[in-house]
Amino acid sequence: MALERYVISGAKKLRCGFTTGVCAAAAAKAATVMLISGKAVEQVAVTTPNDIRLVLEVEDASCGDGFARCAVRKDAGDDADVTDGTLIYASVRLTEKPEIVIEGGMGVGRVTCPGLDQPVGAAAINRVPRLMIARCVREALADGGRGGRAGAYIEITVPDGEAIAQRTFNPRLGIVGGISILGTTGIVEPMSTAALIDTIRAEMNVRRAQWAGPLLVTPGNYGETFAAQTLHLSGPAVLCSNYIGEAVDCAVRLRFEGLLLVGHIGKLVKLAGGIFDTHSRTADARMEILTAHAALAGASRAICMKLMACVTTDAAIDLLEESGILNLVMQSVTERAGIYLCRRAGALPAELVIFSNARGVLGMTDGARSMMDRMRRNMEEQQ
């Protein structure tokens, strides 16, 4: 049953969905009801952690020797979620002890690195989904006259989970064997900034549990590849997407010893304007910033007008080189971006490297080389 809840993103009205945690809780409740009543369950009602009541369709229900098993299909709404349409199963057995035990089976990831929501060795079923699963099962036990007299053993499985997980951040987070069962509100909001930032924070928590030294941060895969192949920084990077400010704030809270930001000119030029959310719909002042620094470097009005007309930063870089002021402009841009970065980082030492795919390093702050040397030494010591 589709969730009739919407958010507005830009000029679009987008439908919300519900999380894998909600699916697991609903499937567990349906299986418990079926186990107690002996009757098939076609729909089940659950209330999300943010108090929204959902009535969800139950699929592939079955009973066996002392257990019942049901599935609920994940609906991500209009969100681009790789788990959309996936069946989340719960198998329930009643126990004599009045406790709820929740485990992950096939297709549910297993935590192998410290720093995540669950301890090493546990199934990647986060705290809030665990609470919701337990609450839903207890409701079903109470409604069936078993409240306080019985408990339950619940196993959550996702048949396609291991394959799907390869398209998520789980391998980077040290979660192996499947997807995570997630959700703090129970509702998936399309284009959710909060969900992306939560992923960045989770990855940084994992890195911090491994070591406290300087942290490598980059907006995306280009930066990670450049750091490894050109800067010879072989350690894992945290991918922060457009949320550079949030990544810096998190590094400060986690008390890393430093932060090195490596990124393409198209993203990091915005830092020279104090822009820490670099998505184009938030701010796109790339040409304005480059033009201002070109003017400071002595560019003519004609050159400035051509810069403002450039569509890409690569085209602007070519024009600056033709004008003989590329080095001056990049020195100025890097210095200004470094000032804003250090201001945001406070007491945390923070350096940056700006590059382009065609030209390599375009600029780096004064302390970037020494921080990279330290990071390489640390990586060698860990090997």
Side-chain angles (χ1 to χ4, degrees), residues 18-20 74 76 78-85 164 167-168 188:
F18 43 85
T19 63
T20 51
K74 166 71 181 291
D78 289 327
D79 194 57
D81 188 334
V82 297
T83 62
D84 186 38
I164 293 170
R167 294 180 282 154
T168 72
V188 174

Side-chain angles (χ1 to χ4, degrees), residues 264-265 287 311-319 355-359:
H264 188 274
I265 178 67
M287 299 313 158
V311 176
T312 67
T313 49
D314 284 336
I317 294 302
D318 289 343
L319 179 58
F355 72 91
S356 78
N357 294 331
R359 300 176 185 277

Side-chain angles (χ1 to χ4, degrees), residues 5 8 19 49 56 90 98 116 148 156 162 166 168 173 198 263 271 286 292 381:
R5 185 181 179 89
I8 303 300
T19 63
L56 305 179
L116 293 172
I156 307 300
E162 188 165 6
Q166 299 307 309
T168 72
L173 298 175
D198 283 347
L271 286 188
R286 295 169 300 161
E381 290 171 0

Side-chain angles (χ1 to χ4, degrees), residues 117-130:
D117 182 273
Q118 295 296 301
V120 172
I125 305 173
N126 277 10
R127 183 184 65 86
V128 173
R130 285 178 183 271

Side-chain angles (χ1 to χ4, degrees), residues 2 7 45 78 82 86 109 111 119 133 166 208 238 259 276 301 344 356 378:
V7 295
D78 289 327
V82 297
T86 301
V111 177
I133 293 166
Q166 299 307 309
R208 182 62 181 82
V238 169
L259 180 145
F276 283 86
R301 185 172 184 274
R344 182 88 179 225
S356 78
N378 287 345

